[in-house]
Amino acid sequence: MNGRALVVGGGIAGLAVARGLVRGGWEVDVRERLDGPPDIGGALAVWPGAMRAFDRLGLGERLRERAEYRSDAALFRPDGRKLVGVGGRAGGHLISRSALLDILVDGLPDGLVHWNTPVTAAELVPGGRFDVVIGADGIHSLVRRTVFPHASPPRALGSVAYRGTLPGRVEGVTEIWGGRRIFGVTPLDAHTTNWYAAIDQRLLTAAEHVARDPGIHARVLRREFGGWGGEADRILSGLEAHGVDRRELLDLPSFGPYVRWRHALIGDAAHAMAPNLGRGACESVVDAAVLADALNEEPTVARALTRYDRARRGPTRRIVAASRFLNRISTTGLNR
């Protein structure tokens, strides 16, 4: 089967599903309200299941060429004591979000993605000119709000995340846990370190919680993570020069099927999750490959969407729950 597909959202999920549908002969229109790929920086982990999805989309080798492969990681206490070490064959690839978006965009025909072109709610109602409408428009999805009115809004996890990059090579993947705070370091590429941190929002003052000044974010990080040693100290010393991204963490409660009428939700629009398992981008790409395969192989849109929902809703809801639980253990406490 093929036809006309509207993909709402030009991030990882939207670009990946567009790639899969184009390979199957679909006419695809991707609409993104931003004027370019929505790159918010940082490193992404691509685990084996997601790499297999990239292979099915014809992009696996290009990703491997640009990614850093790691098969070991360690969890520490702030005093330097190792709690857990993981190694072996079951590793993953680390790639910058910008590099991944470049790979996805380069794989699409010119003019297929319409940047700075938001859709309206009126374009999403049944009976339009598209055979299928795919909501890949993130946690605050217009498609979900319009077509799935029973869906609950995003919920706060009670923690705040910070992240950034710093020049300099780092070899290992490490994370430090201590007192409702975590600090992690990974390679971004051969010359850059990726770092991230999260704290219980109750550790912030009211002014710090609403602050937008990167200088205030830097002071919070030094107060909460000063003295943790090693790479943490190196990163804290360079915060003002290289910037801090801060955001409140949210996830999406379960709301039933990811499909309705001729519409399907993928990625964060369907199952936004806490970042603690590093699975958000991975599950978005798997969604895209599964949905594209179903639409390319089934005789009707209805059968394809049913197949997609049956394959993806259960596994992704379990990962949302596990990510939320790990967030509670590491930063907000089990009493929340």
Side-chain angles (χ1 to χ4, degrees):
M1 178 182 61
N2 54 46
R4 301 191 69 198
L6 172 63
V7 178
V8 184
I12 292 171
L15 297 173
V17 76
R19 167 81 179 199
L21 291 176
V22 167
R23 284 165 62 87
W26 281 74
E27 181 182 344
V28 182
D29 182 351
V30 178
R31 309 270 191 89
E32 169 56 51
R33 62 183 178 82
L34 301 179
D35 58 7
D39 181 13
I40 54 175
L44 298 172
V46 181
W47 302 110
M51 186 59 78
R52 289 191 292 272
F54 276 113
D55 286 334
R56 282 152 56 194
L57 295 170
L59 298 172
E61 287 308 309
R62 294 187 62 196
L63 192 151
R64 290 180 181 91
E65 291 172 359
R66 298 187 63 174
E68 296 265 335
Y69 180 79
R70 289 293 183 275
S71 60
D72 57 340
L75 175 64
F76 293 90
R77 294 284 298 169
D79 61 6
R81 180 164 57 96
K82 181 185 285 191
L83 298 177
V84 179
V86 179
R89 296 182 179 180
H93 291 79
L94 295 166
I95 187 168
S96 72
R97 187 181 295 269
S98 58
L100 180 55
L101 288 166
D102 285 346
I103 291 169
L104 290 167
V105 170
D106 288 345
L108 293 172
D110 291 342
L112 183 144
V113 183
H114 296 91
W115 307 111
N116 197 27
T117 309
V119 299
T120 65
E123 294 179 277
L124 302 177
V125 298
R129 60 192 181 93
F130 294 96
D131 299 293
V132 65
V133 176
I134 300 169
D137 49 341
I139 190 170
H140 301 294
S141 169
L142 174 65
V143 179
R144 188 182 65 247
R145 298 198 309 270
T146 303
V147 182
F148 300 77
H150 58 286
S152 299
R155 61 187 172 185
L157 288 163
S159 52
V160 178
Y162 304 82
R163 61 186 169 189
T165 61
L166 198 71
R169 173 75 175 177
V170 64
E171 294 298 333
V173 176
T174 60
E175 195 164 277
I176 310 170
W177 287 23
R180 296 182 291 163
R181 297 164 293 170
I182 62 175
F183 197 97
V185 178
T186 78
L188 181 68
D189 56 37
H191 309 288
T192 313
T193 298
N194 173 73
W195 66 268
Y196 58 90
I199 64 175
D200 189 326
Q201 68 180 24
R202 293 170 292 188
L203 297 173
L204 300 175
T205 67
E208 289 168 346
H209 187 64
V210 299
R212 297 182 180 274
D213 181 357
I216 294 177
H217 304 333
R219 287 197 294 275
V220 169
L221 289 166
R222 289 199 183 95
R223 181 187 71 213
E224 299 299 332
F225 298 102
W228 281 30
E231 289 293 337
D233 282 346
R234 178 174 75 89
I235 289 162
L236 292 175
S237 68
L239 291 178
E240 272 89 355
H242 301 286
V244 178
D245 175 85
R246 174 205 181 275
R247 61 195 63 225
E248 181 181 2
L249 293 179
L250 310 170
D251 73 359
L252 199 63
S254 179
F255 57 88
Y258 294 167
V259 301
R260 189 181 187 212
W261 301 325
R262 62 195 174 98
H263 301 72
L265 299 174
I266 65 174
D268 283 354
H271 48 68
M273 61 189 68
N276 298 74
L277 287 174
R279 294 286 291 272
C282 290
E283 298 311 312
S284 295
V285 174
V286 176
D287 286 352
V290 170
L291 179 56
D293 286 347
L295 287 166
N296 290 336
E297 295 168 5
E298 294 293 340
T300 67
V301 168
R303 284 182 57 170
L305 297 190
T306 297
R307 170 175 152 180
Y308 161 73
D309 187 63
R310 287 175 176 169
R312 295 300 295 152
R313 181 157 41 111
T316 54
R317 293 319 308 177
R318 288 190 287 273
I319 296 171
V320 170
S323 298
R324 184 178 180 86
F325 181 70
L326 190 57
N327 180 269
R328 291 173 64 194
I329 292 174
S330 62
T331 55
T332 63
L334 292 175
N335 62 334
R336 194 177 180 91

